[in-house]
Amino acid sequence: MGMAVFIENQLHERIGEVLDDRDESFMRACESGPRRSVRHAVGRHGDTMFNTFQLMLLLEELRELPPGLRTETVRAVEEAAESAIRKQGYLFFSGD
């Protein structure tokens, strides 16, 4: 299983999810980030959780990706982040 991204509300109830594609395009986009970037903090193995402030930074970084890295899956994660921000919730990234 690859990366799973769960949208959580303020109570940490899961209200949606996005799964990385077979090419792991979201994970590749994360790993391509500079060491101090928010997206680089998403771990391939293990769990990562971002709050609304961190999600705003992540959205900026994802939107600045070159066209070749902005896949349908990356755009789905952007939409998930926007949803979590609207609900003042979180994104929970679950690696292998």
Side-chain angles (χ1 to χ4, degrees), residues 7-19:
I7 306 166
E8 295 186 352
N9 64 18
Q10 286 183 327
L11 301 174
H12 295 284
E13 297 167 328
R14 292 186 176 167
I15 56 174
E17 73 178 349
V18 176
L19 300 176

Side-chain angles (χ1 to χ4, degrees), residues 12-31:
H12 295 284
E13 297 167 328
R14 292 186 176 167
I15 56 174
E17 73 178 349
V18 176
L19 300 176
D20 206 354
D21 53 40
R22 289 179 188 229
D23 294 331
E24 297 184 319
S25 66
F26 175 70
M27 197 66 246
R28 284 188 294 112
C30 290
E31 292 172 340

Side-chain angles (χ1 to χ4, degrees), residues 32-62:
S32 74
R35 278 179 88 63
R36 295 183 185 260
S37 66
V38 175
R39 73 179 196 262
H40 190 78
V42 176
R44 177 179 289 276
H45 306 287
D47 300 330
T48 309
M49 181 177 287
F50 289 156
N51 61 31
T52 55
F53 176 74
Q54 293 162 318
L55 289 173
M56 288 187 279
L57 297 174
L58 177 66
L59 274 174
E60 263 182 51
E61 293 179 14
L62 292 177

